[in-house]
Amino acid sequence: MPSITLTYLKKLKQRGEKITMLTCYDATFAHELSTAGVEMLLIGDTLGMILQGHDSTLPVRLEDMVYHTACVKRGNNGAFVIADLSFMTCSSTEQALHSSAQLMQAGAQMVKIEGGEWLCDTVQQLTRNGIPVCAHIGLTPQSVNVFGGFKVQGRDSKQAEALIETAKKFEQAGAAMVLVEAVPASLGKALSEAVSIPVIGIGAGPDTDGQVLVLHDMLGLSITGKAPKFVKNFMRGQDDIQGAVKSYIAAVKDGSFPAQEHCYSE
Ligand code: KIV
Ligand code: NA
């Protein structure tokens, strides 16, 4: 597979072809997922829960992110690689630059940062320094203690409008992608229409430019046995992981995932 670039991903948005992303934390899965045709691999700080057994993403250290990014890079077969800036690794622009440099040197091609408009300066500085940025908005799990739980965001129209403004400001600041988590499907659609950069959704309905799921969730693996509403087990009816991943890709591309049952209403 030829290597996926940001230019190509933007073209997919323009053509209306859905973009696929999965989280990935190691070399073997990086090889499996990229070979199956997943366009983007995200080294998410969900590794704090999935790999490390914590109950939030807060304990994840930058060195954990760097380690898993390097693992994914070694197994990757042409997918676009994005790494999360974990909790308190970007509390100033200077710190964000320093943290991102480590992720990029480990093999990331973009960093993802959680938050709102206050990050626009940081996004601009990162981009100026050769580091593409994905802005993660909506439910931002690093702020779970501020939100008072993992709650659907943007349900009232004022909050929804504010999120659309935030996405526009991020685009103006130079962000190359937006990831939106846990918002009503109508807002996922509005966000994707409001900006020209790709908007990738998780729990944000079928009308975002692309979809992401946590790898272990879509393979039906879970410590708690409880999966969020937006998760579908793609292992069901498949003989192997390649089959599950290919079925995820097909379902995203043909628009059958996410279905109504995976979506939040207003
Ligand atoms: O850390 C992660 O896996 C993420 C996705 C849920 C989007 O940020
Ligand atoms: Na994350």
Side-chain angles (χ1 to χ4, degrees):
M1 182 163 87
S3 290
I4 304 284
T5 60
L6 267 179
T7 316
Y8 176 73
L9 294 168
K10 206 163 175 182
K11 223 169 260 167
L12 290 184
K13 168 164 180 147
Q14 285 160 359
R15 294 210 297 251
E17 181 177 337
K18 298 293 179 189
I19 303 168
T20 57
M21 180 194 278
L22 284 173
T23 71
C24 186
Y25 316 103
D26 69 36
T28 302
F29 273 109
H31 180 263
E32 287 289 304
L33 304 185
S34 56
T35 303
V38 176
E39 280 123 0
M40 293 190 279
L41 304 181
L42 171 67
I43 300 95
D45 60 359
T46 43
L47 67 84
M49 286 130 122
I50 304 289
L51 303 187
Q52 299 174 331
H54 296 297
D55 56 11
S56 79
T57 59
L58 273 61
V60 177
R61 301 164 306 169
L62 181 63
E63 58 207 275
D64 301 330
M65 298 307 301
V66 169
Y67 172 80
H68 288 284
T69 299
C71 294
V72 166
K73 185 210 160 58
R74 288 184 210 116
N76 180 31
N77 180 22
F80 190 73
V81 175
I82 305 169
D84 269 352
L85 282 160
S86 51
F87 184 63
M88 289 301 286
T89 61
C90 43
S91 58
S92 67
T93 295
E94 189 126 349
Q95 192 196 17
L97 283 163
H98 184 74
S99 303
S100 302
Q102 292 186 58
L103 295 171
M104 296 295 281
Q105 288 178 333
Q109 294 164 292
M110 169 182 262
V111 299
K112 179 159 77 58
I113 190 165
E114 288 186 14
E117 284 163 35
W118 67 89
L119 292 170
C120 280
D121 276 352
T122 298
V123 168
Q124 190 172 50
Q125 286 305 323
L126 287 166
T127 306
R128 279 183 183 163
N129 282 278
I131 301 171
V133 182
C134 174
H136 183 154
I137 64 172
L139 172 57
T140 48
Q142 289 170 23
S143 300
V144 60
N145 294 303
V146 176
F147 291 140
F150 295 98
K151 292 178 184 159
V152 179
Q153 301 295 306
R155 269 198 153 136
D156 69 72
S157 62
K158 230 178 177 169
Q159 225 195 4
E161 275 162 37
L163 277 173
I164 292 168
E165 278 318 298
T166 299
K168 286 184 184 165
K169 287 200 173 129
F170 272 132
E171 180 177 33
Q172 282 160 19
M177 195 176 294
V178 168
L179 188 147
V180 60
E181 176 167 352
V183 299
S186 54
L187 178 54
K189 181 173 198 280
L191 282 164
S192 305
E193 287 167 355
V195 293
S196 65
I197 52 178
V199 176
I200 310 300
I202 177 165
D207 297 315
T208 51
D209 304 308
Q211 298 290 330
V212 58
L213 281 178
V214 169
L215 174 64
H216 293 55
D217 286 347
M218 61 83 73
L219 294 177
L221 299 171
S222 151
I223 296 180
T224 60
K226 283 181 295 187
K229 184 180 173 68
F230 51 76
V231 170
K232 178 175 175 185
N233 178 359
F234 284 91
M235 203 61 219
R236 223 166 257 151
Q238 299 295 330
D239 293 328
D240 54 24
I241 285 169
Q242 271 292 312
V245 174
K246 287 199 166 133
S247 132
Y248 167 73
I249 296 171
V252 172
K253 296 279 181 193
D254 73 16
S256 56
F257 178 79
Q260 188 98 49
E261 69 201 271
H262 308 117
C263 297
Y264 298 112
S265 56
E266 278 166 55

